Amino acid sequence: MSEKANKILYIALSLLMAVIFWLYVDREEGSRISATFPNIPVEFIGETDVLAGRGLMLENGQDVSITLRLSGPRTVISSLEKEDIRIWASVTSISAIGTYQLTYDIEYPDDINRSDISMESQSQFSVTVQVVELSNKTVPVTWEVTGEVADSYIYMSDLMVLEPSTITISGREEDIAPVETAHIVLDMSGANSTVERELEYQMLDADGNEVVNESIRVSEHRVAVTAPVYLIKDLDLVVRWLSSPGSLEEDISYTIGPVDTITVAGEPASLETKDEIVLGEIDLSEYVEGTSLDFDINIPANCVNISGITTASVSFQFKAGLDTRLFTVTDISYRGLSDGYRCSLVTTSLNVVLRGPSEVMEALTEENLRVVVDLSDYNTDGTHRVEPLILVDGFDNVGAVGPYIVTCRVSS
């Protein structure tokens, strides 16, 4: 290495050693500085749990603050902020009302050695607090709604959910006595689905005036609100017609009353794909003449009936051109019986009412009729009553009216 390079290296090392030595002397032997940290608030340990659990509270003194003047190495004091210092006093030993002198402790950040700091002065050596009886009161949460929901939607006020629905307030009796409600205001402008929010509330007196008192403590600062917003929709009332030859839907005229459409409201997901409500099923083959039947209107799940109509009547009448006739059928047979079983028909003739076009009914005779009993599900010994099939050979627009029963005896 050249002489010039050696010289540069020597100068750099000398400067480094000088800086290290200066820092050491400045911290260990060098200058110390002082600083004032004003108005550091005092924390009271056990105030909200232990003291409140004993039915007590701090009436005054809880807003006390302490001013400290501290000294120490420059590097320590200059880096210390007021917010880094914690002053606390414990009230856990207090068990009765009265005036108390409390000592306090001082805490510094964990990275500061407490022995490096000296206390030059402090504005006071203890704090004085007044302890009084703590009163509690439970008030209901009330609400009001502002704004209009979107068109074709409705706000369901009777389904509003508040959590919590009451607030417990604590403090001096004279402070909490005026409070009657915890009131929230919910803006529903343009809402087209259920609104879920957390809202702050105001404490109101009996006249609706806000009560502002920082001494009052509350169990909750916010209220969770669920305000259902439902879609409004008109749904048609319909009937499912069970048709068969001679008893077809096109063979009747019918009406549904007192209305054939009702208005409901519900969660959009429950109504978006629904256009009708099925009142029930009517098997036309069970009726010789027209009639009127009453049905309950079953509202879709998660919906409410806005119209208020809960029942509907379905009246139907068979159109002209249809005729009914009574036939006595003796051609009765059975099928479906398992091997090893035999059947003896107790019913040997059956009176059957048929319906069909008038001109067809005139040509129909008993020779066209057969009664068939299916015994596939009756392979047990005993007497059975079975609903049979009524078959009309040669005519596909004629059918039996009403249910029928054939009695038969099965034995192995």
Side-chain angles (χ1 to χ4, degrees):
M1 185 179 296
S2 67
E3 181 179 350
K4 183 177 181 181
N6 283 331
K7 186 175 181 180
I8 293 173
L9 178 60
Y10 174 77
I11 294 173
L13 289 173
S14 298
L15 289 173
L16 178 60
M17 293 298 294
V19 169
I20 293 174
F21 180 73
W22 181 85
L23 290 174
Y24 171 80
V25 171
D26 184 63
R27 181 176 178 85
E28 302 296 335
E29 304 293 341
S31 62
R32 295 171 63 87
I33 63 172
S34 299
T36 299
F37 300 89
N39 302 321
I40 302 173
V42 178
E43 302 175 37
F44 291 92
I45 305 301
E47 177 188 7
T48 58
D49 47 12
V50 177
L51 206 60
R54 295 169 181 167
L56 303 173
M57 63 172 288
L58 297 181
E59 181 180 32
N60 54 46
Q62 66 268 39
D63 56 351
V64 67
S65 61
I66 306 294
T67 296
L68 302 177
R69 182 165 181 79
L70 306 176
S71 64
R74 182 186 303 275
T75 55
V76 174
I77 298 300
S78 61
S79 65
L80 190 61
E81 301 289 341
K82 170 184 172 181
E83 292 72 19
D84 298 329
I85 304 172
R86 181 187 179 211
I87 300 179
W88 60 268
S90 176
V91 296
T92 57
S93 62
I94 298 176
S95 58
I97 62 174
T99 302
Y100 297 86
Q101 293 290 126
L102 303 177
T103 58
Y104 57 82
D105 288 317
I106 303 172
E107 289 186 4
Y108 302 106
D110 293 339
D111 59 350
I112 292 180
N113 189 342
R114 189 182 183 93
S115 62
D116 287 340
I117 300 178
S118 298
M119 177 72 67
E120 290 191 357
S121 65
Q122 52 205 109
S123 58
Q124 56 192 79
F125 294 95
S126 63
V127 294
T128 302
V129 295
Q130 183 73 33
V131 177
V132 297
E133 185 176 357
L134 176 69
S135 297
N136 297 304
K137 184 179 182 180
T138 299
V139 297
V141 178
T142 58
W143 76 91
E144 66 177 287
V145 170
T146 61
E148 297 292 334
V149 298
D151 292 341
S152 300
Y153 289 84
I154 184 173
Y155 152 59
M156 306 299 294
S157 60
D158 55 328
L159 300 179
M160 171 81 84
V161 176
L162 304 175
E163 183 57 42
S165 59
T166 60
I167 300 294
T168 299
I169 60 175
S170 304
R172 296 185 306 172
E173 175 62 29
E174 57 268 32
D175 289 336
I176 67 175
V179 181
E180 292 296 329
T181 63
H183 191 69
I184 61 174
V185 178
L186 177 63
D187 184 5
M188 300 282 282
S189 299
N192 59 5
S193 62
T194 295
V195 176
E196 296 181 333
R197 295 178 188 164
E198 283 195 355
L199 300 176
E200 295 182 349
Y201 57 84
Q202 291 181 322
M203 291 184 291
L204 303 182
D205 62 18
D207 296 323
N209 301 312
E210 184 178 6
V211 177
V212 180
N213 190 327
E214 295 182 357
S215 298
I216 297 177
R217 302 171 186 172
V218 296
S219 59
E220 304 285 345
H221 291 278
R222 301 173 71 86
V223 175
V225 180
T226 301
V229 176
Y230 282 2
L231 173 66
I232 301 174
K233 194 170 186 180
D234 293 333
L235 300 181
D236 296 328
L237 301 179
V238 300
V239 175
R240 295 282 185 257
W241 300 100
L242 300 181
S243 299
S244 57
S247 301
L248 302 176
E249 182 178 349
E250 54 263 32
D251 293 332
I252 64 167
S253 60
Y254 70 92
T255 59
I256 298 176
V259 295
D260 58 7
T261 300
I262 67 166
T263 302
V264 301
E267 293 285 358
S270 300
L271 284 179
E272 286 173 347
T273 60
K274 188 172 289 294
D275 297 308
E276 62 185 23
I277 294 176
V278 178
L279 295 173
E281 295 182 340
I282 298 178
D283 187 347
L284 293 174
S285 69
E286 296 181 357
Y287 299 92
V288 176
E289 301 292 340
T291 188
S292 180
L293 302 173
D294 293 330
F295 292 91
D296 291 329
I297 301 175
N298 296 316
I299 304 301
N302 302 318
C303 297
V304 295
N305 188 337
I306 299 298
S307 297
I309 299 173
T310 59
T311 60
S313 295
V314 180
S315 300
F316 63 94
Q317 184 67 42
F318 289 94
K319 297 178 181 177
L322 292 177
D323 194 10
T324 58
R325 285 182 59 190
L326 176 65
F327 295 86
T328 300
V329 184
T330 57
D331 184 359
I332 303 176
S333 61
Y334 62 86
R335 67 187 183 190
L337 197 62
S338 298
D339 293 341
Y341 288 88
R342 61 184 178 181
C343 175
S344 173
L345 294 172
V346 177
T347 303
T348 57
S349 66
L350 194 65
N351 293 326
V352 177
V353 176
L354 296 184
R355 181 167 51 219
S358 299
E359 65 275 11
V360 174
M361 297 298 290
E362 292 179 359
L364 194 63
T365 67
E366 293 177 355
E367 283 72 22
N368 300 110
L369 303 180
R370 291 183 294 123
V371 175
V372 179
V373 181
D374 188 352
L375 296 174
S376 301
D377 297 328
Y378 296 89
N379 291 311
T380 58
D381 291 351
T383 300
H384 304 286
R385 292 169 52 83
V386 184
E387 186 173 345
L389 301 174
I390 311 298
L391 304 178
V392 183
D393 296 330
F395 300 90
D396 58 5
N397 54 354
V398 177
V401 178
Y404 298 92
I405 295 296
V406 171
T407 302
C408 56
R409 188 177 293 112
V410 175
S411 60
S412 55

